[in-house]
Amino acid sequence: WLRISWQTHSCYAELGVDGSECSFLRYLSEVESFCPIMDNRKFVKRRRKAQINRELKGLLDLLPEYKNHLVSNTFMRARLKRIWPDWLEGIQHYINGVNFSWPDSLDHCKHCSSDDMTCFNLCQSTKITGQPFLYGRPKLNILLHLEFLSNAFGDNLFETTVSRGGPLGELVQWTDLIGALYILGHRLTITYEATNAKSLLSYSDHIPCMVKGNEYDLVYTDITGFRQLYNTRIRTPLCKFRILDTFGTEAPYNRKAERWGGLHLNLQQFYTFFPHSPDNTFLGFVTEISPFKSKSDQSLSKPIALIYGKQSYMWNNKTNYLRILSDYFELHGNVMDNVDKLPKFVHIHQMQYGQPYLELMSKAQILVGLGFPYEGPAPLEAIANGLIFLNPRFDPPHGRSNQAFFSDKPTSRGVSAIFKSLLFL
């Protein structure tokens, strides 16, 4: 398109396009970032370098304060505040792991200019093998669009259910991603509504080579968000998108028009909750360690078991299963919606996820799964805090052929249990 249209507006010439193939490549790689930077010009285009950012206030200020997103905003802020000391400890541990071979070289590498090949190569060569380099990185401009929290998505379904045990897994992963990108020093813009994201990515027909709308190096969103954005007039290359995709997308469903499939992206652009497949990219999440140490109460006649089921429908047809366990454990549950029909022999709490829940978990020895949710942070979080996780085994495995929940998911894998390596009943 550039070969055909470069003479249609004077802005192309002003940006160095003169009709030659080299000028086309320079424009597409250095102005609009459609193509990789040419090898002989990698250090010509000077970019600001990312610096480690340890200031929590700046991160909290990035979160939009929309009135109709107060619940999710409160959740994300509270999580960031609780685990920010762990983020700082983690980044310092990473820095200390870099194996520099001369005194004060760490400070030296902080100040490598983007065109100083000697400095860059020397610092790069001294890092631990396989460890991404921390200094000399470009400061990326990143848009994070959380469409699943938008007012338009299911009549604001996710946002309204957060306080009732809703999509906490998704919020955990998004919050951790935002925290990671921020502490690594990148420039972040966060949106919840598609109209806001579109306004940032759109471009003008009157000045076709305006690049303000294409200034983002990466766009993180979810499947619905990608569809909302890419069906409009944005000129953001497909390769810039990163899709947070809980269950992952397999190749056949990447090309198949289904509710959660048919995006036609590189499979590595799908970022998953757990490492389901090497075809996708494993993003993961942070397991939160409780600061509370009261693991047992000797005055109790039975050890405490915490039931993993945050909404009442997850408890359906589980009464007999729980009654057997109640002979051996004092059962506690944390359910955020109607609890009238739940077993009376279970101590039911109704507390928001956060410090109160972590304190409750610190008193338990067992986390009891009910078979659903299939995936979430709670089991790994419990294990990280010293609990044993019990969960039913599915025989035959649950999947597209026998479970409505999986019928439109872009994966054909069967789930025999939440975590195969743990203890099952």
Side-chain angles (χ1 to χ4, degrees):
W1 61 265
L2 188 56
R3 291 192 185 101
I4 297 172
S5 61
W6 74 273
Q7 290 181 305
T8 60
H9 199 282
S10 61
C11 66
Y12 290 110
E14 293 170 4
L15 291 167
V17 179
D18 58 13
S20 66
E21 290 294 303
C22 284
S23 70
F24 293 154
L25 288 173
R26 281 198 300 271
Y27 176 84
L28 291 174
S29 61
E30 297 176 20
V31 177
E32 295 209 11
S33 301
F34 267 88
C35 304
I37 301 292
M38 292 183 288
D39 288 340
N40 64 337
R41 294 182 62 83
K42 282 186 176 179
F43 293 92
V44 173
K45 185 181 179 183
R46 302 177 67 93
R47 298 190 60 170
R48 293 183 61 188
K49 294 187 292 298
Q51 301 291 337
I52 300 303
N53 197 339
R54 295 178 172 84
E55 179 56 52
L56 176 60
K57 183 180 183 303
L59 174 56
L60 298 179
D61 290 343
L62 290 174
L63 298 176
E65 295 187 1
Y66 303 128
K67 290 183 179 179
N68 50 353
H69 293 293
L70 289 178
V71 177
S72 58
N73 189 284
T74 299
F75 177 94
M76 297 169 78
R77 286 174 176 272
R79 179 173 176 83
L80 288 169
K81 289 178 180 178
R82 282 197 312 274
I83 65 175
W84 192 246
D86 297 321
W87 277 112
L88 296 179
E89 182 180 351
I91 198 67
Q92 190 59 48
H93 180 75
Y94 188 97
I95 291 172
N96 293 341
V98 178
N99 183 25
F100 289 98
S101 58
W102 72 91
D104 302 322
S105 57
L106 191 62
D107 289 334
H108 173 74
C109 288
K110 289 180 182 179
H111 304 291
C112 286
S113 64
S114 58
D115 56 354
D116 188 343
M117 290 292 293
T118 301
C119 177
F120 181 83
N121 288 335
L122 186 59
C123 290
Q124 185 78 342
S125 66
T126 57
K127 71 183 181 66
I128 294 177
T129 302
Q131 187 176 29
F133 194 60
L134 200 57
Y135 297 103
R137 299 172 294 112
K139 184 182 182 73
L140 300 181
N141 194 21
I142 300 174
L143 174 64
L144 300 108
H145 176 55
L146 288 65
E147 174 68 23
F148 78 103
L149 289 177
S150 73
N151 295 325
F153 187 79
D155 294 325
N156 205 18
L157 175 65
F158 275 44
E159 176 70 30
T160 56
T161 58
V162 168
S163 60
R164 302 197 304 272
L168 300 186
E170 287 87 344
L171 268 183
V172 163
Q173 188 175 49
W174 273 103
T175 304
D176 295 345
L177 172 63
I178 291 169
L181 294 174
Y182 175 82
I183 202 170
L184 288 172
H186 299 300
R187 181 173 180 265
L188 308 183
T189 302
I190 302 170
T191 61
Y192 298 157
E193 303 300 335
T195 52
N196 296 333
K198 291 174 186 176
S199 67
L200 296 171
L201 296 172
S202 62
Y203 70 100
S204 169
D205 287 330
H206 301 295
I207 308 178
C209 50
M210 283 290 287
V211 298
K212 181 175 177 56
N214 193 36
E215 65 180 358
Y216 292 97
D217 298 291
L218 291 174
V219 179
Y220 285 87
T221 186
D222 47 48
I223 292 175
T224 305
F226 174 80
R227 287 190 172 130
Q228 288 279 356
L229 296 178
Y230 218 75
N231 287 335
T232 59
R233 290 182 60 81
I234 62 172
R235 208 162 73 188
T236 303
L238 285 174
C239 62
K240 290 189 174 185
F241 281 91
R242 302 293 183 269
I243 311 301
L244 269 65
D245 178 13
T246 301
F247 290 92
T249 294
E250 296 175 358
Y253 307 104
N254 189 32
R255 304 291 177 181
K256 189 176 181 180
E258 292 187 335
R259 182 184 181 189
W260 302 111
L263 269 61
H264 296 265
L265 296 173
N266 185 308
L267 291 177
Q268 290 287 298
Q269 290 176 255
F270 295 98
Y271 281 36
T272 61
F273 207 68
F274 289 102
H276 298 304
S277 166
D279 290 342
N280 301 147
T281 299
F282 170 47
L283 177 61
F285 54 92
V286 176
T287 54
E288 190 170 358
I289 305 299
S290 171
F292 306 101
K293 303 300 181 183
S294 55
K295 290 305 300 178
S296 63
D297 187 340
Q298 300 299 327
S299 65
L300 297 176
S301 58
K302 300 177 183 178
I304 292 177
L306 180 60
I307 299 169
Y308 177 35
K310 57 191 176 182
Q311 292 179 285
S312 58
Y313 77 90
M314 300 174 184
W315 296 57
N316 291 343
N317 303 317
K318 301 296 190 299
T319 300
N320 290 338
Y321 166 56
L322 295 175
R323 191 182 302 278
I324 294 173
L325 291 176
S326 69
D327 292 338
Y328 305 95
F329 302 104
E330 180 182 303
L331 299 182
H332 290 251
N334 188 43
V335 182
M336 300 307 298
D337 55 1
N338 195 318
V339 299
D340 294 341
K341 297 182 180 180
L342 299 185
K344 303 303 180 183
F345 54 83
V346 179
H347 301 273
I348 299 298
H349 307 263
Q350 290 189 292
M351 59 182 68
Q352 296 287 344
Y353 178 86
Q355 185 168 318
Y357 173 80
L358 292 172
E359 187 170 1
L360 172 63
M361 184 176 64
S362 73
K363 299 176 182 178
Q365 288 77 49
I366 306 287
L367 182 70
V368 177
L370 300 176
F372 192 88
Y374 289 110
E375 296 184 348
L380 283 184
E381 196 166 68
I383 294 169
N385 283 276
L387 279 69
I388 296 172
F389 177 51
L390 302 178
N391 194 61
R393 182 189 295 274
F394 308 130
D395 186 16
H398 288 187
R400 290 173 67 96
S401 63
N402 58 13
Q403 294 294 319
F405 178 85
F406 281 110
S407 63
D408 56 3
K409 300 295 186 294
T411 176
S412 58
R413 62 187 173 86
V415 179
S416 59
I418 294 182
F419 298 106
K420 293 183 179 180
S421 60
L422 306 182
L423 182 61
F424 305 106
L425 290 179

